[in-house]
Structures are given as structure tokens and as C-alpha cells.
Amino acid sequence: MRALHSLRLAGAQLRMSVLAALQYRLGFWTEGVLGVVWNGIGMIPLLVAVEHRGTVEGWGAWELVVLTGCFTGITGLFGALLQPALIASMNHIRLGTLDYVLLRPADALVLCLVADFSPWRLVEVFGGAVLVVVGLVKLGSVPTVGSLAAALAVGVAGIVALYGFGVLILCASFRAVRLQNLTFLMEALLDFGRWPVQVFRGPLKAFFTFVVPLAVMTTYPAEALIGRLAWSTVGIACATSAALLLVARLLWTRCLAGYTSASS
């Protein structure tokens, strides 16, 4: 029942955001298309690397297109569903008006995560799906049922990891109330996800696998679709995302206990 109530809240807020965005339809499509184009331009360094090296840590050109499609999809979801909500919630924390959210009869974290949406960025998700299909067609690869199941599992794990990391950023804003650009820091870190995790070494690879799990968000879904992701890695990805979300939830509860509201 609690999960259903949260989904209804998210659906209601998304409908309101879509209706507001459609009042300016040119902006709706322009923002979305520009996002796809920008991510397409981001493929240039990858393709240049392939041209000079043949492959990038075992990834060929069309495999990198599949990876870029997964990256475009996750950044589209971030820009459409998570970043606007984080900015709105951080403003509440900075201004001391979060208590108006806390007084509502719903989970405070859920309300913060559905505070605002930018639906035009969902066009990027569609663009990412097109890149994935094009890449697979050019590779002559047809995903099996097992590959699709693995891709779905790590895809959900990637979204969970994205939200878990977003909650950690939101928690950081309780301490760094004067910093309004924490979401841009998150966006900058996510940009590393356009590269396969294999290009990183040592502690940096561990960081992008378990702390900021970009591997779960982009590399693993692409590997699953190509058909080279082991089920043991799927299990590790799901466990990593669940652990990150649990830590984020516990930290949120602790931060909320020390929050000084506007009426304090």
C-alpha cells in the first residue's frame, strides 16, 4: 500500500509537469532533442579512440554505440525525473522551508524525490533506445531471453543506484546548505559513465563500481544486451544498488533528525 501510494504521488506530479511543459511545446522538443544531440557529440572521443586503437578495452565501435545508448537513457532519466526534484528539495533545505514538506501526510523522502520533473528530457531516453537498437543491428546481435532478463535486472539496479546516489547528494545538502550546485557535481560524475568501466584501474574502478556505481548504470546493461554479462555480475550489481539505497535511506533519516526548520 505504501509503495502504491508513492507511485500515485509520482504519477500525479509527473502529469502536472507534463501539462506545464506542453504549454511551451517548442521548448519541450528543443530541450529533448538538444539532449540527444549533445550525447551524440559525446560519442566522438570514444570513436576517435576506437579509430586509433581498434578497440577500447575490448569494446568495438558499435558496442560503444550500445553503451552510449544506455548512458543517454540513464542521463535522460536523471535530467527528467531526479535532478529537478533534487534542486527543488535542496532549495527547501537552503531556505529552511522543508518543514512544509514534512507536514504533509506522506513519506518525506518520496515527496522530495517527486517534487519536480522535467518531462522533455524523457526524449533523451527514447534517443538512447534508438542508439541501442542501431548498435545491436550493426553488430548483428539479437539478444536472447536470458540477455534481455539480465539487461532488465541490471537496468532496474542502475535506476535504483541512481536514486540512491541522488539521496546521498540530497543528504550532503543538509551540511553544505550554501552549495546550490551539488546536482551539477552529480551530473559531472555521471558523465564518466559514457566510458566502459574497464578503462578505469585500481581504486578508481572500485569507486565507479561500488561507491558511484556507474558500471551498474551503463556498462553492465550494455554488456547484458551484447550477451557477455555473467549472472554472478548481475547479482553483484543488484546487491550493490540495494546496499547503496539502504545506506542512503539511513543517512536521510539521520540528516532529517538534525534538520533545523524555518519555524525553529
Side-chain angles (χ1 to χ4, degrees), residues 12 21 53 60 83 85 109 142 150 158 172 174 185 209 223 254 257:
R53 295 173 55 93
Q83 187 178 35
L109 182 56
V142 179
F174 281 93
L185 170 63
T209 302
E223 287 185 321
R254 183 172 180 177

Side-chain angles (χ1 to χ4, degrees), residues 106-154:
D107 187 287
L109 182 56
V110 173
L111 289 173
C112 285
L113 294 179
V114 300
D116 193 16
F117 294 127
S118 297
W120 54 81
R121 293 288 300 272
L122 290 174
V123 177
E124 293 180 40
V125 180
F126 175 76
V130 171
L131 286 175
V132 168
V133 171
V134 170
L136 291 175
V137 169
K138 289 294 184 178
L139 287 170
S141 175
V142 179
T144 64
V145 174
S147 296
L148 290 174
L152 178 62
V154 291

Side-chain angles (χ1 to χ4, degrees), residues 18-208:
V18 169
L19 290 174
L22 286 176
Q23 294 179 20
Y24 308 96
R25 297 187 182 184
L26 180 60
F28 182 97
W29 292 108
T30 301
E31 292 286 343
V33 171
L34 282 177
V36 175
V37 171
W38 181 252
N39 282 300
I41 293 173
M43 291 177 57
I44 294 176
L46 301 177
L47 297 179
V48 169
V50 169
E51 183 179 354
H52 287 279
R53 295 173 55 93
T55 61
V56 176
E57 295 298 329
W59 291 72
W62 291 111
E63 291 171 332
L64 289 173
V65 170
V66 176
L67 174 64
T68 302
C70 294
F71 169 78
T72 303
I74 202 73
T75 54
L77 288 174
F78 170 69
L81 306 181
L82 185 55
Q83 187 178 35
L86 292 179
I87 291 174
S89 298
M90 286 176 184
N91 284 333
H92 278 306
I93 294 170
R94 181 174 58 86
L95 297 173
T97 56
L98 186 64
D99 45 345
Y100 300 130
V101 177
L102 301 179
L103 290 172
R104 297 174 186 172
D107 187 287
L109 182 56
V110 173
L111 289 173
C112 285
L113 294 179
V114 300
D116 193 16
F117 294 127
S118 297
W120 54 81
R121 293 288 300 272
L122 290 174
V123 177
E124 293 180 40
V125 180
F126 175 76
V130 171
L131 286 175
V132 168
V133 171
V134 170
L136 291 175
V137 169
K138 289 294 184 178
L139 287 170
S141 175
V142 179
T144 64
V145 174
S147 296
L148 290 174
L152 178 62
V154 291
V156 171
I159 294 173
V160 170
L162 180 69
Y163 270 87
F165 185 44
V167 174
L168 291 178
I169 291 292
L170 184 59
C171 291
S173 67
F174 281 93
R175 295 292 182 183
V177 292
R178 292 186 180 276
L179 294 179
Q180 302 179 43
N181 296 324
L182 287 174
T183 60
F184 297 108
L185 170 63
M186 182 176 177
E187 189 174 19
L189 286 172
L190 288 177
D191 199 55
F192 285 101
R194 70 172 68 251
W195 293 90
V197 73
Q198 290 85 358
V199 304
F200 304 106
R201 294 287 186 270
L204 199 57
K205 183 175 182 179
F207 178 77
F208 285 131

